[in-house]
């Protein structure tokens, strides 16, 4: 994948990850969607030459995804380990994405493995005791609580991740450098306008004047459609404005007016 060696470390996150890794402390990355959390975790694993096991949490994630489940193979009952147990045994890196979208029972099971003993008892598999290899390393991400479907993590689980990295939307110039990593060709001036527009919408969303905050995915997409030959105004409509119609014409019109004032009709 393209994203592998593209990460721009604009807030020294690698250094923090490195130190935490050295100290055997697990890391929590907090920030809105599209601020590079997943890319950062992937790239860190790649730099360490570690295998990365990832799981994206949702309401549908079950304990069995983590610990494993029974199998039936030509009459014999076995047990296939889930991602948590596999990564503990292998000593790989485990990436727990959007941890605060998980249900409480799933979090409880995770908590058992993450405490200082780094072990878990598989009651599902005859009480087998799994102990983590000493290289085992865990990073997790959470979205700010304003995001739909997110819940507050229980404090004891938070304490399993004593190192916390806060990611946010980057400064304009940095965002431009990031977008240019994904978009070949010129259009630098227009891309910068798209980033300014995104920042206006982000600020409005932050004070709840708008329902949606565009991420770096959108500014990257904006650069890509410009590069494909689209005019800035149309690109801004399809990438930034149209989505607000989801919340009705008043919401949409607010954004449309901002775009008109920046880019004309
Ligand atoms: N610092 C950065 N350097 C390079 N690319 C970035 C950076 N931050 C974000 N991106 C890009 O922005 C997009 C969204 O990032 P992603 O890691 O998926 O965000 P998140 O996991 O926070 O939702 C991806 O294409 C990603 O590669
Ligand atoms: Mg992500």
């Amino acid at each position: 994948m393209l994203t592998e060696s593209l990460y721009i470390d604009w807030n020294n996150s690698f250094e923090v990850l490195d130190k935490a890794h050295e100290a055997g402390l697990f890391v929590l990355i907090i920030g809105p969607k599209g601020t590079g959390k997943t890319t950062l975790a992937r790239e860190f694993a790649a730099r360490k030459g570690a295998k990365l096991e990832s799981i994206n949490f949702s309401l549908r994630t079950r304990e069995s995804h983590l610990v494993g489940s029974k199998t039936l193979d030509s009459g014999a009952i076995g047990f296939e380990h889930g991602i948590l147990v596999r990564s503990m045994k292998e000593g790989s890196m485990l990436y727990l994405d959007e941890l605060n979208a998980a249900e409480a029972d799933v979090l409880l099971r995770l908590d058992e493995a993450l405490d200082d003993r780094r072990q878990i008892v598989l009651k599902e598999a005859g009480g087998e005791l799994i102990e983590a290899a000493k290289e085992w390393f865990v990073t997790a991400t959470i979205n700010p609580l304003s995001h739909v479907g997110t819940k507050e993590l229980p404090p004891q689980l938070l304490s399993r991740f004593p190192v916390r990295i806060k990611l946010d939307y980057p400064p304009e110039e940095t965002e431009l450098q990031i977008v240019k990593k994904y978009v070949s060709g010129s259009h630098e001036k227009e891309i910068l306008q798209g980033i300014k527009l995104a920042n206006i919408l982000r600020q409005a969303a932050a004070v709840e004047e708008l329902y949606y905050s565009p991420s770096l995915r959108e500014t990257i997409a904006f650069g890509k459609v410009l590069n494909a030959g689209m005019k800035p105004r149309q690109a801004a409509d399809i990438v930034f404005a149209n989505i607000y119609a989801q919340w009705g014409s008043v919401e949409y019109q607010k954004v449309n007016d901002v775009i008109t004032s920046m880019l004309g009709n």
Side-chain angles (χ1 to χ4, degrees):
M1 273 260 322
L2 244 144
T3 48
E4 285 299 64
S5 57
L6 289 170
Y7 192 79
I8 294 182
D9 188 17
W10 61 280
N11 66 47
N12 263 337
S13 298
F14 282 126
E15 193 192 329
V16 176
L17 279 165
D18 246 331
K19 298 268 152 65
H21 185 255
E22 223 163 276
L25 299 171
F26 296 161
V27 179
L28 188 75
I29 307 170
I30 175 163
K33 72 184 160 50
T35 48
K37 301 185 294 298
T38 301
T39 312
L40 171 64
R42 281 205 193 123
E43 174 111 2
F44 181 68
R47 287 190 181 195
K48 290 282 163 196
K51 180 178 171 197
L52 188 71
E53 301 261 21
S54 308
I55 176 168
N56 190 266
F57 287 87
S58 73
L59 291 174
R60 290 163 58 193
T61 308
R62 295 283 160 260
E63 277 183 69
S64 59
H65 295 130
L66 295 176
V67 294
S69 48
K70 291 211 168 77
T71 56
L72 191 58
D73 191 11
S74 41
I77 295 175
F79 191 84
E80 190 180 354
H81 289 149
I83 189 168
L84 170 68
V85 173
R86 273 203 317 271
S87 82
M88 290 172 81
K89 291 177 71 137
E90 288 173 358
S92 57
M93 278 195 198
L94 179 62
Y95 175 61
L96 308 169
D97 204 15
E98 304 187 31
L99 192 55
N100 56 342
E103 294 273 30
D105 57 331
V106 175
L107 294 179
L108 209 65
R109 212 60 209 282
L110 203 54
D111 192 53
E112 182 186 348
L114 294 173
D115 88 3
D116 294 338
R117 284 165 300 168
R118 309 270 199 254
Q119 61 184 40
I120 188 169
V121 176
L122 300 185
K123 54 182 182 339
E124 302 84 345
E128 185 187 355
L129 175 72
I130 305 291
E131 294 184 284
K134 69 173 186 326
E135 320 81 77
W136 190 49
F137 185 66
V138 184
T139 56
T141 73
I142 59 175
N143 289 326
L145 286 173
S146 57
H147 284 235
V148 259
T150 53
K151 298 180 292 277
E152 206 175 326
L153 282 188
Q156 103 257 19
L157 188 59
L158 275 181
S159 72
R160 309 298 187 214
F161 299 91
V163 175
R164 292 84 186 238
I165 293 176
K166 185 167 90 63
L167 283 187
D168 214 327
Y169 305 113
E172 252 170 39
E173 271 306 313
T174 307
E175 188 160 350
L176 179 63
Q177 296 316 311
I178 294 172
V179 173
K180 279 164 68 183
K181 289 227 159 219
Y182 299 86
V183 181
S184 52
S186 42
H187 301 294
E188 187 165 318
K189 223 182 83 222
E190 291 83 1
I191 291 171
L192 197 57
Q193 277 205 301
I195 292 170
K196 286 183 195 296
L197 169 60
N199 279 328
I200 291 172
L201 302 177
R202 289 165 185 167
Q203 279 152 23
V207 295
E208 291 174 4
E209 277 170 20
L210 288 175
Y211 282 102
Y212 182 78
S213 186
S215 75
L216 272 80
R217 290 196 193 100
E218 276 102 331
T219 52
I220 292 169
F222 182 74
K224 284 183 174 170
V225 292
L226 289 178
N227 208 31
M230 197 177 279
K231 294 268 175 290
R233 170 72 216 212
Q234 192 190 1
D237 285 343
I238 62 145
V239 173
F240 294 111
N242 289 347
I243 189 63
Y244 291 93
Q246 184 177 185
W247 295 279
S249 57
V250 174
E251 181 91 354
Y252 169 78
Q253 202 51 49
K254 276 193 231 169
V255 176
N256 199 52
D257 291 346
V258 174
I259 295 180
T260 303
S261 74
M262 290 180 76
L263 300 173
N265 281 304

